[in-house]
Amino acid sequence: MSKDNIIKLIQPGNVADQLTEVLRNGARALLAQAVEAEVADFLGKHADLKTADGHQRVVRHGHLPEREVMTGIGPVAVRQPRVRDREADATDPDRIRFSPSILPPYMRRSKSIETLLPILYLKGISTGDFSEALAALLGKDAAGLSASAIGRLKDGWLDEHTAWQKRDLSAKRYVYIWADGIHLEARLEDEKQCILVLIGATPEGRKELVGFTDGARESAHDWRDLLLDLKRRGLDVPPRLVIADGALGFWKAAGEVWPKTREQRCWVHKTANVLAKLPTSQQPKAKRALQEIWMAETKAAAELAFDAFIESYALKYEKAADCLSKDRDTLLAFYDFPAEHWKHLRTTNPIESTFATVRHRTVRSKGCLSNGTALAMVFKLVEGAQKSWRRLDGHNQLPKLVLGVTFNDGIEVFAKPTDRQPITAAA
């Protein structure tokens, strides 16, 4: 009877997974069909073009050499069809060119892999360990991602982030801006463990990352630097409303840079702060009472619910009542804006939901990231997330705010026409 208890461990990337192979083969077939369909559509758009001798001008012309594209399920081999313009040579600037969107030239990895790499870096994976980590995730054939390749990608991200920080903002206008300080688990080299984030809503209702930098969450100085930097780069028109939590540093800076901008406190943060000052037994009932305030149909009804909460809790739980009452006006500012926007304006959710995944994907690593590197990695993650951000509900109301139209209880206030005085003819 053998007493050998040595167990051979399976190395990363060596696991035979039939399901993954089936998926990869299916992906290869679907990708081939997609690129063929894209070429067929391009040729169809130019089917009416003929050469001087009456032949089809734009035709297929074989395939480019096969290449592998790294995807979320490993490498997938594909051949890109070529297209030829018979009436022009390769140097002719008027030559009809086929520019594939599914499989652009020189593309070697999918967007999901581009997103995965900064995530791994923020998790503390060193450049030398990327090949092993990706082999475990994508299979042993995950090639082309050596330490030097990762280093080049990281340098590219740093350059992209630097260019983004210097972009011209003179043509930009944001009706609403959400602000928050996000703490990451990844350790930074200096004491600034917070990322200051601004997300804006354009007059078309699209949400965009406006600015972010490293700083201290409560620091008015760091917030002021960020806001003034935006102003120096051309963002001269202040937003109509800014939504943020109770961070005093931000509100002090915003009041100095945007003195005419209305303020809206985040109800999610305020609810958490008020409940923290109550016993656990009182919190469910208090939460329902707070909800009755911000869910009220009119500002008058919200004021009544506000007064009822203060009256109920001020006697025994003065700190909770004071925490709510001190921000009364700024908690109810959203009633002066379109009702379709209320759910967007009551919280800093556009920032919280986006950075929740970023925060969860970062852990404290053994080493420290430089602040510049961490910002560049986070920028790449947010840049990818930004593509899936939904437009604001009721975006057709935003141009009205730009023009100065006022709203009461979420409904547009129509100005009454002035009574015209009769014009008497001169004697």
Side-chain angles (χ1 to χ4, degrees):
M1 183 175 178
S2 175
K3 295 183 179 181
D4 189 359
N5 60 357
I6 298 176
I7 300 174
K8 184 177 180 181
L9 298 177
I10 300 176
Q11 297 299 313
N14 292 334
V15 179
D17 186 348
Q18 293 183 350
L19 177 59
T20 300
E21 287 303 317
V22 170
L23 292 174
R24 195 174 297 167
N25 290 334
R28 185 182 296 110
L30 288 173
L31 181 58
Q33 293 175 15
V35 296
E36 290 288 346
E38 187 179 27
V39 170
D41 181 64
F42 180 82
L43 295 176
K45 291 179 180 178
H46 297 85
D48 295 336
L49 299 179
K50 304 293 181 180
T51 61
D53 55 2
H55 291 91
Q56 195 77 29
R57 175 175 172 175
V58 183
V59 296
R60 294 174 60 96
H61 188 59
H63 290 79
L64 292 170
E66 184 177 85
R67 56 175 156 147
E68 284 191 342
V69 178
M70 188 60 63
T71 71
I73 57 172
V76 174
V78 65
R79 297 183 70 194
Q80 174 68 58
R82 291 196 297 184
V83 172
R84 176 188 173 194
D85 181 358
R86 288 172 163 173
E87 285 287 284
D89 57 32
T91 60
D92 191 339
D94 296 325
R95 176 169 63 97
I96 297 175
R97 301 172 182 269
F98 172 57
S99 300
S101 58
I102 297 175
L103 200 65
Y106 311 110
M107 178 182 177
R108 292 292 181 180
R109 58 186 65 88
S110 68
K111 292 295 182 182
S112 62
I113 300 301
E114 295 286 355
T115 301
L116 174 63
L117 297 179
I119 291 172
L120 292 177
Y121 199 95
L122 284 169
K123 278 186 172 292
I125 303 294
S126 65
T127 53
D129 295 333
F130 261 78
S131 295
E132 183 178 349
L134 291 169
L137 291 170
L138 307 176
K140 57 184 175 60
D141 297 324
L145 291 169
S146 62
S148 58
I150 297 299
R152 288 193 297 271
L153 280 174
K154 188 182 74 172
D155 292 340
W157 298 331
L158 290 167
D159 293 340
E160 289 177 30
H161 178 235
T162 300
W164 180 83
Q165 284 184 308
K166 297 178 180 179
R167 73 197 188 285
D168 179 38
L169 296 173
S170 57
K172 290 292 185 178
R173 171 74 188 267
Y174 298 103
V175 183
Y176 303 131
I177 282 185
W178 293 266
D180 204 356
I182 303 298
H183 289 271
L184 298 181
E185 291 298 324
R187 289 195 298 167
L188 305 182
E189 283 182 345
D190 62 27
E191 72 281 0
K192 294 185 177 182
Q193 299 284 330
C194 184
I195 292 183
L196 310 181
V197 185
L198 297 172
I199 290 178
T202 68
E204 297 77 30
R206 294 184 177 86
K207 286 177 284 188
E208 296 179 353
L209 181 64
V210 179
F212 79 109
T213 186
D214 56 333
R217 185 169 187 168
E218 303 294 336
S219 169
H221 173 76
D222 290 334
W223 278 115
R224 189 185 300 107
D225 280 351
L226 177 57
L227 298 182
L228 290 176
D229 179 60
L230 299 177
K231 197 170 184 178
R232 282 191 293 268
R233 288 189 280 123
L235 192 62
D236 294 325
V237 181
R240 290 295 306 277
L241 182 72
V242 172
I243 306 95
D245 64 11
L248 298 179
F250 170 76
W251 292 117
K252 182 179 180 182
E256 295 172 358
V257 181
W258 297 327
K260 295 183 179 180
T261 296
R262 295 283 303 276
E263 300 176 3
Q264 170 66 49
R265 293 294 195 275
C266 172
W267 268 100
V268 172
H269 286 89
K270 178 57 70 175
T271 298
N273 292 339
V274 171
L275 295 181
K277 293 174 172 47
L278 292 170
T280 304
S281 60
Q282 293 292 326
Q283 291 181 7
K285 183 179 178 181
K287 186 175 182 180
R288 291 192 298 269
L290 291 170
Q291 188 175 19
E292 289 179 5
I293 302 173
W294 57 265
M295 287 293 288
E297 291 293 327
T298 65
K299 189 173 184 178
E303 295 275 12
L304 290 175
F306 209 108
D307 291 337
F309 186 96
I310 300 301
E311 185 179 5
S312 298
Y313 291 93
L315 186 60
K316 291 187 65 177
Y317 308 105
E318 184 180 359
K319 290 184 178 179
D322 290 344
C323 180
L324 181 67
S325 61
K326 69 177 182 178
D327 293 322
R328 184 181 190 117
D329 292 338
T330 54
L331 283 168
L332 303 179
F334 69 89
Y335 282 103
D336 297 331
F337 293 85
E340 298 94 326
H341 301 168
W342 287 359
K343 70 177 184 179
H344 303 293
L345 304 182
R346 288 185 291 231
T347 76
T348 54
N349 185 62
I351 294 178
E352 291 291 335
S353 59
T354 297
F355 278 83
T357 53
V358 175
R359 189 188 290 111
H360 292 159
R361 285 167 174 170
T362 59
V363 296
R364 290 194 176 276
S365 56
K366 294 180 180 178
C368 292
L369 296 177
S370 70
N371 288 48
T373 298
L375 287 173
M377 300 301 104
V378 173
F379 170 71
K380 290 302 296 182
L381 295 178
V382 177
E383 185 183 46
Q386 185 173 250
K387 298 174 183 177
S388 61
W389 287 350
R390 292 177 58 250
R391 293 176 74 180
L392 267 65
D393 293 347
H395 53 81
N396 58 311
Q397 303 284 14
L398 290 164
K400 298 178 183 179
L401 291 171
V402 173
L403 295 174
V405 174
T406 58
F407 288 78
N408 183 30
D409 287 335
I411 301 173
E412 181 179 350
V413 177
F414 294 94
K416 295 181 179 180
T418 57
D419 295 330
R420 295 184 178 181
Q421 300 295 327
I423 300 175
T424 57

